[in-house]
Structure formats: C-alpha cells, structure tokens
Amino acid sequence: MDLSMEQNKYAIFAPAVQPDYAKLAIPRAIKTDRLPQGVKPQDLNFLRRPNPLFTIKATLASAATFDGQPPPTMLDRSVRASDSVVIVDSGGFSLINNNGNLALTDETRLRFLRWQECWGDVGMTLDVPLKAIDVPQSGFTTFKECLNTTVQNLTFIVKHRDRSSPLRLLNVLQGRTPKEADQWYDAVKSFPFEGWAVGGVLKLDLYGVIRRILIMLEEGRLTSSTAWLHFLGVESPRMAVVLTALKQALQEILPTMEITFDAATPFTSFARGAGQAVLGLRLDAERFNFQRHTLQDLSSLDPSTPLPLHSPLADRLTVGMVRGNDTGWGRKLDGLGMVMVKHHNVYATVMGLLLANRHVLHTDVNHAIVPYDVMAVVKAVHSIFKETDRKGELERRKMTLRKLMPGEQLSSDDQNDVDR
C-alpha cells in the first residue's frame, strides 16, 4: 500500500523516527520467527517501495538522537524509495535538554552538520529554541542569548556546509511574541538557505505565521528556490488540514511550494512496558482528533488473541507475537513488540491525517464531522491569498485564525519583555 501519492496532495506529515526503530527496519535485523508469516524486517521500513505493508513519503530524524548510532538504518538511501524524503533536524531542542552531555561547540556543530548532509534530503539549521530559557541546564537565560548563538550557528553552517551535498537547509524561525518574532526574522533572514521552518509557540499562531509569509513574499525571501515550509512538532488533525489549505493557497503563487510537519508521538507515546496505540481519527465535530488505546498487562491473555488494532501489520499480530518473556511482573510488550506497535502507530496516524484532509474536501457532505472553526480557518486561509489586498484580508480574518490556536498561546509584547 503506497500512501505517498495521496500525501503529496496535502501538507505532508513526517513521523519523527527513533534510533531503536530505525536500526531494526532493515534486512536481517530481526529474527523472522517473531514476525507474522511473510513479513520481513525490511518491511517495517515505511520509506521502502515496494512494501507489502505500506509506504509513506517522509520521516524526520534528529542529529542529536542519532548521534553515535552506527549505520545501517532505514535512513540509508540504498534501502528507501528514491523519492522518499528524510528530514533531518539539527538537534537544537535535544541540546538544551542534554544535562551537560552535549556541548554546543564547533566540533558538535560540524559533527551534526555532516550527519545531516550524509543522511538527509531536507534539514533544519541549528538554532537555540527559546524553550531553552525555561530549562536551567541549558545555560541560556535570555532571548538575546538564544538569538545571538543561533546567528553564530548559522554563520558557521554557511562557512562549513558541503556545497556538493544535496541537503536542502531550512532557516528556523522562533519567537514567543510578535516583537520577538520580528527581531528573530530580521536577524536570520539574510542567510542563504533554501527554505524555512517554524518552531516553538510561533507555529501555533496562524495569524503570525501568515503575516510572516506575506512579509517574506513581499521581500523576496519566499521564492521558487526557498519554497519549503516545515512546522516542528505538529500532529493535530486540525492543524494538518489548515497546513494543507496553506500549501494549496501558496501553490497558486509558487507552484513548487511544499509544506511538511512532524511529531514523534507515534513512537514516544508507546513507553516501555505499556503505552498508547493510535486507533485512528475520531469522526465527530467535537473531537476531530486521534483516538488512542492503552495496551495493559498482557499476562492473562491467550497468546493467539488478536491485538485490538487495525493496520496492515497489526491485522496479523497476536498477543504472543508482541509480548516478551515473563519478568515476574507480568508479560508486557518487549522491545520488538513495541517496534511492531510503533509501526502500526505510524500507519494509523498517517491514515488519520489523510482521512481528515479527505473530509475537508467533502465538507458539504460531512459537515457534522469537520468542526465549524476548522472549516472557517481553512476558508480564511484561501481567502487571504486570493485577495489583492492580502494584508487587509489577513487583518479582517485575524480573530478567525486565532480561534484555532490550541493550548499554549503566543504572549503579547507587553507580557514578555524581549530584552529580559
């Protein structure tokens, strides 16, 4: 099953794969007696084509989490489809949470950059996320420190990047307030990279994101050579369909425009010993989100019991295939069992996002499934880019756009002094 062609129509989700998974999804990495009949270890590589399970377009991997991991892994170009996309994060977020294990030195900068160039097709430049200010062990306490170090990183990358590498680098934008977002953009916009990424709380502010896009179009910073936008740490079906609307609207201006987004949830939501499996998209206007199921202790279940999950792999799995040896605390999923459920999670997440986009296309029929506020934002995005006076239309649609902001809100400038 090849899902990549349909993904190409929408904003593309890239699950953030973890090293423990990536090193097992290759030939001879797993004893086949633990897998369903006819399934091989390399079939777990969802970037591979042909694949009897499924193929998707993209994945994301972080330089920090893969640092020191010996090849081969499923990221190797020889074991994935030629048109697949490996997005390589710079590891900035991991560096600020490293408890002193990784120092931001020129040696680290160069090592991460070379790793990105070796394995990636698209990559984020190394920034210092503003979340570092709230992490005591990061060593960063002010906006200026984060921005100044990011500019130093960008200067280093421009000087040392391998020009023969096909890696497309995206300039990361940050900002907790409109004023911070402007200052960050003004400081980094002149660096010669090939696209843009949006991180932190900035990505949740659709008004601020579109305002920035209009400025970049006006200044010639978003052109056919920089027509790639990536949104870091996004998985919500609500945001996914809005990003699709943004991609479609921008393709009327820049036909080569691509928008991608990532989240590690399909992997990280399933912790060792227990965890959450994705069931799929919840189809009601109140909960336009993912439905999940927690797999509990499997001790009491017959080994032949099917798992309560639906995907090309999960349909073939039984309790006996995913649970490990009895530890005295019950028989729960072992490492390989979790890898197989994570494979299911990737499929269920990608299919859920595709289904969300399909329902938006058929909203006249399925008006009870897609929430009103989501459709209002989708229509607002298209309206803004169709108007001659785009900035004026943006202001008229400001309240509509900000109604969709989930969770953490972007602070107003008077609440957060950027010079603190």
Side-chain angles (χ1 to χ4, degrees):
M1 182 185 304
D2 191 346
L3 303 178
S4 64
M5 294 301 291
E6 185 175 2
Q7 282 187 292
N8 285 333
K9 300 176 184 178
Y10 313 126
I12 298 172
F13 175 64
V17 69
Q18 307 298 298
D20 63 335
Y21 184 98
K23 67 184 181 183
L24 292 180
I26 57 175
R28 297 177 295 280
I30 301 171
K31 291 183 178 180
T32 54
D33 60 358
R34 282 293 305 276
L35 297 171
Q37 186 175 4
V39 176
K40 301 175 181 178
Q42 57 265 35
D43 297 336
L44 299 179
N45 182 355
F46 43 78
L47 297 181
R48 178 173 170 262
R49 185 191 300 118
N51 193 321
L53 298 176
F54 70 91
T55 302
I56 64 173
K57 181 68 175 183
T59 194
L60 179 139
S62 170
T65 57
F66 277 81
D67 184 46
Q69 294 288 331
T73 70
M74 60 175 280
L75 307 182
D76 194 313
R77 289 181 173 84
S78 66
V79 297
R80 59 182 173 96
S82 60
D83 64 341
S84 64
V85 177
V86 170
I87 303 172
V88 282
D89 196 5
S90 61
F93 184 79
S94 297
L95 280 170
I96 68 172
N97 289 283
N98 67 74
N99 294 311
N101 296 323
L102 285 172
L104 188 53
T105 63
D106 282 352
E107 188 276 331
T108 303
R109 291 184 178 101
L110 186 61
R111 189 172 76 250
F112 283 10
L113 177 60
R114 292 291 180 259
W115 185 90
Q116 289 181 293
E117 291 169 340
C118 180
W119 302 108
D121 304 297
V122 178
M124 264 60 75
T125 54
L126 181 58
D127 67 321
V128 179
L130 295 178
K131 188 175 178 63
I133 297 170
D134 301 319
V135 179
Q137 68 266 27
S138 74
F140 294 91
T141 59
T142 67
F143 170 83
K144 283 186 174 181
E145 289 175 352
C146 294
L147 178 55
N148 290 343
T149 302
T150 296
V151 170
Q152 293 172 15
N153 293 343
L154 301 184
T155 303
F156 182 92
I157 292 168
V158 169
K159 181 178 180 180
H160 294 280
R161 69 183 298 191
D162 181 357
R163 297 293 174 178
S164 66
S165 168
L167 179 66
R168 178 177 195 154
L169 281 172
L170 310 182
N171 202 341
V172 181
L173 299 176
Q174 298 273 355
R176 298 165 299 176
T177 70
K179 186 175 181 181
E180 282 187 352
D182 285 341
Q183 289 188 354
W184 190 287
Y185 171 70
D186 287 338
V188 305
K189 66 183 181 182
S190 297
F191 286 94
F193 298 117
E194 298 82 51
W196 302 89
V198 186
V201 297
L202 181 63
K203 65 176 179 280
L204 305 177
D205 180 14
L206 294 172
Y207 168 81
V209 166
I210 295 176
R211 173 180 171 271
R212 180 66 53 212
I213 289 171
L214 295 182
I215 291 172
M216 290 193 292
L217 287 169
E218 190 175 77
E219 294 182 351
R221 305 286 181 185
L222 189 61
T223 65
S224 58
S225 61
T226 59
W228 196 300
L229 286 173
H230 183 83
F231 289 76
L232 290 152
V234 173
E235 182 200 35
S236 161
R238 290 169 173 257
M239 284 294 291
V241 298
V242 171
L243 294 181
T244 290
L246 185 59
K247 173 179 173 175
Q248 293 168 343
L250 284 170
Q251 284 182 336
E252 295 295 319
I253 304 168
L254 298 167
T256 60
M257 189 71 218
E258 189 57 88
I259 292 182
T260 51
F261 59 106
D262 76 271
T265 317
F267 298 93
T268 58
S269 67
F270 211 86
R272 178 164 293 278
Q276 290 190 322
V278 181
L279 297 182
L281 181 68
R282 190 157 188 157
L283 295 177
D284 64 75
E286 294 298 319
R287 297 185 179 93
F288 194 62
N289 210 330
F290 289 112
Q291 188 170 7
R292 305 179 191 275
H293 171 71
T294 300
L295 291 177
Q296 303 288 353
D297 182 8
L298 305 177
S299 300
S300 62
L301 297 178
D302 187 285
S304 63
T305 305
L307 289 186
L309 307 173
H310 171 60
S311 67
L313 180 62
D315 289 346
R316 311 184 195 188
L317 294 176
T318 64
V319 166
M321 292 177 183
V322 299
R323 70 185 187 185
N325 296 322
D326 194 340
T327 62
W329 295 93
R331 297 174 66 105
K332 298 184 179 181
L333 276 72
D334 66 357
L336 179 54
M338 286 191 287
V339 163
M340 290 190 280
V341 176
K342 289 172 182 177
H343 181 273
H344 157 81
N345 277 356
V346 171
Y347 174 84
T349 302
V350 171
M351 278 304 303
L353 295 173
L354 292 179
L355 189 59
N357 279 291
R358 292 177 194 173
H359 280 296
V360 168
L361 292 175
H362 295 273
T363 186
D364 291 339
V365 177
N366 299 323
H367 59 276
I369 293 177
V370 183
Y372 174 82
D373 60 340
V374 174
M375 283 308 307
V377 173
V378 167
K379 292 176 181 178
V381 170
H382 284 289
S383 175
I384 290 166
F385 288 94
K386 284 180 180 177
E387 289 290 330
T388 303
D389 180 15
R390 293 172 183 158
K391 289 185 177 179
E393 182 67 3
L394 173 63
E395 293 304 318
R396 288 188 288 272
R397 301 283 187 163
K398 182 175 182 178
M399 294 306 298
T400 299
L401 295 174
R402 285 198 158 157
K403 283 180 181 178
L404 198 65
M405 289 175 65
E408 193 172 14
Q409 300 286 314
L410 193 72
S411 303
S412 62
D413 286 324
D414 58 355
Q415 291 175 312
N416 214 329
D417 182 2
V418 299
D419 293 326
R420 68 175 177 83

